[in-house]
Structures are given as structure tokens and as C-alpha cells.
Amino acid sequence: MIILVINCGSSSIKYQLLDMKNDEVYDLMAKGLVEKIGLPDGCLTHKPTGKDPFSMTLPIPDHKVGMKLVLDALVDPEHGVLSSFDDIEAVGHRIVQGADFFSGSTLVDEDVLAKIRICCDFAPLHNPAHLLGIEAMSHVLPEVPQVVTFDTAFHQTMEPYAYMYALPYEYYEKYRVRRYGAHGTSHQYVSQRGAKLAGLDLGNSKIITCHLGNGSSVTAIKDGKVVDTSMGFTPLEGMIMGTRCGNIDANILPYIMKKENLTPDEMTTIMNKKSGFLGLSGRSSDMRDLDAAAREGDVRSKIALKKLTYDTIKNVGAYIAEMNGVDLIVFTAGIGENNPRLRRHLAFMGVKIDVEVNERARSSETIISAPDSAVKVALIPTNEELVIARDTMHIISELDN
Ligand code: AMP
């Protein structure tokens, strides 16, 4: 089944075209990225498997035009991988926020769209863009069924004591204020792959997954179900990130807002876009830049880097206590997959890292714990697109039956 997986941002469209034979066997036919939608120098980068990559710069006024460019690239006689649009059997979309409406992927219909629209309040940067993507796809491929996969769905198994904030209950009832988590598709994928790699029975396991990238979160998964995760109502809660502050004392907000005469929107931007690595170091949101600055002796970059390690260990320690043990700790995403220094710091409660294997391990499935470690530690490159394609395939196959 040929499935187009779409991840729409406010000014971008990431895509992958996968030919799914079954859950495990698939071909990546092409992938690519449309960037700078709405700007005069919009750009399409298309990478067809087995052919030369192709890119073009042109004004891309909106997502509909962007989506049409993607489809045209897929059937292009020179760079394409399909003979016709009709070969695409389904489209799967990544959706950041599904709140407590969705505990799994689902076929798009009017009711689903209405609920995604309600969730725009909790993910104002992401959900409106996802809706634009679904709408654009309905416009260019009206006959093709669309499925949505939610970053929040995997976390829906949390108990109320884990997802409730100790605020007046009416805010939960009136405004759905609770913890939803994020990166769920990634945590789900790497926990399942990690269990396989480590020879664990997922249904009888304690796993902690560390998704460390530009956004970072740690999740505790018992018997295949999430019991806790570090992100909350929005992907701001939890650890230090590229530009997000993570946990801070909530009283800091009114304090700074009064001192600096800031509006709620301005304060939101500061916490989401100007904090984290960037805010603390004053240099960059990218860990590679901070690593380079720290090597040159920059004290603030060193603090920012140390804080990510510290926040990771703090969450892992808390989740070991919550689950009363752990069998496997998994690292994934840009930093988790590429930064051996951070992973090396995990050395407590019987966790022993194989220093040499860890040093070499980069973006490929690897057990990095020592053979005599009481807890297995693994590096698993994440693959959210594959989860979306699998879910889409299952939902569409059921429709056909
Ligand atoms: P992500 O959001 O998963 O793309 O991760 C982005 C973060 O991963 C940035 O802070 C990068 O510095 C870091 N990162 C990505 N690739 C590498 C690499 N090859 N080596 C070290 N850090 C990397």
C-alpha cells in the first residue's frame, strides 16, 4: 500500500512516500521538504530513492500550492517515483495535539476535524498548520482517504494523579487544562524497537525513553503503556530544550511580566522561543554550537549543556522510582542519537555504559550498556513516519474489509 506521510508546520511540509508491504517490510520511495511557505524564496527539496535529489526555489504562497508541488515532484518524469497520483492509496498526517479526544490514530472526518480545531488552543503553532495540510490534501487529492496520528495519543494511558495539575479542578473541566505530553509517536516507536533489540517482552517491561532533540522529553513506559512523561499541557514543560525553558517556578511569569511590562503572548514567546539553550547560553539553540563554545571555555554554554544532562538524569531517576525499577533506557532524536557524552553520564543504580561502544554509536540501533549492566541501555533512531504509515495502513485495510 503506497502511503504519503505528511508533517505540516506553519511554513513547511515534510513528506515521505512509503510503500508498505506489512508492519516490518516497506520501501521508502521518496522524501522531501517544502520550506518558507508564504515567502518569496519558497523551496522544495525532493529526494527520490535511487535517483538524484532535486530542489527548486520559487514563491509558494500557501499550503495548497506546496502540496501540489509535492505531488508534482512525486509524478515528475525525471525525479518522480510514481506514474500517477492514483497510485497514492492513503495519506497519513502527524498531528501534535489531540488532547484527550484521541487515544489512537483515526480516519479524518468532520467530527475529527472539529476536535483538532478545538485543540488549536493548546498547540497554536502546530495544529492550525496540520489543518491547513489536511485541507490542502483534500483539495489536491479529494478521493484519497486521510488518517491522523497524534503526538499525544500514546500518553493517554497516564493515570489522573500523573496528568492532573494541582490547580482548581474547574480549569480542567472548563478548559481541559491537564498534562497531555508530546513526542508520543517517537516514544512509542523507540520503546517497541528497543524492547525487541534488548530481547524484552514489551507487555512485561519497564522502559524509559529519552527523546532528546530540539524539543526533549523523557517517558516512563510500563508493560507497553505510558505511566508518566515530562512534557505537560504543552511541549513547554519538562527539561531544558533548544529554545524552551522547561520547568520553572510559575510565579516567575507574573514577576517578569510586571517588571518588563510584557503581554501574555510576549511572555509565551520568551518561554518557547527565546529560552532554553539559546536563552541560557546567549549563543545558539543548537547543541553542536554549544559543544563548540563550551570547548572554547564559554561558561554559560557549559551550564546549558550540563543542565540537559542533569534534567535527563533527574527524570530517569524519578521514573525508576515511579515504576519501581527499569529494564531498559532508550536514547533517541538528534542529541540522543548523536551525543555520546550525554549518554555516558548515565551511571547509577547498576546502569553501566560500554564506553567504547557508546563513543562509536551514532544513529543506528545499538545496545550501549556493558554486558554486566543491571539495566540495558539502547540507542534507537526514531521513525515517527513509519508509525504513521503503519497506522494509516491498518485503518485503510479495515475500511477495505
Ligand atoms: P532534532 O530536533 O531531533 O532534529 O535534534 C536537534 C538537536 O540535535 C540539535 O541540538 C543538534 O545540535 C543535535 N544534533 C543533530 N545532529 C547531530 C550530530 N550529528 N551531532 C551532534 N548533535 C547533533
Side-chain angles (χ1 to χ4, degrees):
M1 183 183 291
I2 296 184
I3 294 171
L4 178 59
V5 176
I6 296 286
N7 181 355
C8 261
S10 52
S11 64
S12 68
I13 304 169
K14 271 192 216 149
Y15 62 94
Q16 281 194 9
L17 188 73
L18 295 123
D19 185 4
M20 300 295 295
K21 316 286 185 202
N22 58 47
D23 272 359
E24 304 301 331
V25 183
Y26 64 94
D27 291 321
L28 174 65
M29 300 175 75
K31 63 179 183 177
L33 174 65
V34 177
E35 290 173 283
K36 297 192 178 179
I37 295 174
L39 295 176
D41 58 340
C43 179
L44 165 79
T45 312
H46 177 67
K47 294 180 179 166
T49 305
K51 293 185 177 182
D52 288 337
F54 157 78
S55 71
M56 63 201 282
T57 304
L58 75 172
I60 305 172
D62 56 31
H63 284 72
K64 274 186 198 140
V65 175
M67 216 58 99
K68 183 75 173 55
L69 278 176
V70 171
L71 293 174
D72 287 344
L74 291 172
V75 298
D76 184 86
E78 206 176 326
H79 316 286
V81 289
L82 298 175
S83 48
S84 141
F85 294 164
D86 295 339
D87 295 341
I88 301 173
E89 286 166 84
V91 177
H93 294 265
R94 175 202 179 208
I95 311 289
V96 161
Q97 181 54 269
D100 44 8
F101 290 119
F102 302 101
S103 56
S105 302
T106 187
L107 192 68
V108 172
D109 62 17
E110 281 310 316
D111 178 54
V112 168
L113 287 175
K115 286 175 175 152
I116 297 174
R117 225 167 270 132
I118 293 173
C119 296
C120 284
D121 266 358
F122 320 141
L125 298 178
H126 293 99
N127 272 34
H130 303 325
L131 284 166
L132 285 175
I134 297 170
E135 196 190 313
M137 195 48 81
S138 318
H139 185 79
V140 289
L141 288 182
E143 304 302 326
V144 176
Q146 301 189 64
V147 166
V148 277
T149 298
F150 298 89
D151 267 11
T152 45
F154 188 50
H155 300 302
Q156 278 295 300
T157 47
M158 281 193 286
E159 294 286 350
Y161 56 79
Y163 71 67
M164 286 304 293
Y165 292 107
L167 285 165
Y169 200 78
E170 64 185 281
Y171 300 131
Y172 170 59
E173 293 176 313
K174 281 203 277 193
Y175 308 122
R176 301 189 122 85
V177 174
R178 52 156 280 184
R179 306 181 64 244
Y180 295 110
H183 294 144
T185 316
S186 173
H187 289 291
Q188 181 185 355
Y189 177 79
V190 301
S191 59
Q192 291 171 355
R193 289 295 307 175
K196 259 195 192 152
L197 187 69
L200 293 175
D201 169 12
L202 188 70
N204 184 19
S205 64
K206 295 169 183 174
I207 301 177
I208 297 174
T209 46
C210 307
H211 177 114
L212 309 178
N214 195 30
S216 293
S217 64
V218 178
T219 296
I221 303 159
K222 190 159 184 283
D223 305 335
K225 296 194 175 83
V226 172
V227 292
D228 206 350
T229 190
S230 60
M231 284 180 167
F233 179 56
T234 72
L236 179 63
E237 190 179 331
M239 0 179 22
I240 183 172
M241 305 182 214
T243 60
R244 285 170 252 171
C245 59
N247 287 349
I248 56 171
D249 182 336
N251 276 333
I252 295 170
L253 273 70
Y255 179 74
I256 293 180
M257 286 167 78
K258 281 183 202 156
K259 291 276 183 206
E260 298 267 320
N261 202 16
L262 298 173
T263 64
D265 282 352
E266 286 167 336
M267 193 67 223
T268 305
T269 302
I270 289 168
M271 292 187 298
N272 284 280
K273 302 266 176 207
K274 297 185 175 171
S275 300
F277 285 168
L278 178 65
L280 201 44
S281 72
R283 284 178 179 250
S284 170
S285 62
D286 193 291
M287 183 144 186
R288 285 165 288 198
D289 297 336
L290 261 58
D291 267 332
R295 275 195 295 274
E296 285 163 16
D298 184 63
V299 173
R300 281 167 54 184
S301 295
K302 283 186 188 169
I303 296 172
L305 290 170
K306 191 89 190 155
K307 187 159 174 61
L308 179 66
T309 308
Y310 173 78
D311 283 356
T312 305
I313 288 173
K314 209 156 90 166
N315 276 295
V316 169
Y319 292 162
I320 291 175
E322 267 184 43
M323 293 195 290
N324 193 19
V326 64
D327 303 310
L328 170 69
I329 300 169
V330 181
F331 285 94
T332 194
I335 297 171
E337 290 171 30
N338 292 294
N339 199 303
R341 186 184 44 74
L342 187 147
R343 300 189 302 247
R344 202 169 54 221
H345 279 90
L346 210 70
F348 58 100
M349 292 188 183
V351 181
K352 225 191 254 181
I353 300 290
D354 185 321
V355 178
E356 272 175 36
V357 173
N358 178 51
E359 207 55 43
R360 282 193 313 259
R362 291 275 192 295
S363 295
S364 70
E365 293 188 354
T366 318
I367 296 283
I368 57 167
S369 46
D372 60 340
S373 176
V375 176
K376 288 209 164 76
V377 183
L379 187 166
I380 306 282
T382 194
N383 194 342
E384 290 152 296
E385 289 79 9
L386 180 58
V387 178
I388 298 171
R390 276 181 190 158
D391 282 7
T392 304
M393 175 178 69
H394 290 303
I395 288 170
I396 301 304
S397 304
E398 271 167 32
L399 281 183
D400 292 343
N401 287 334

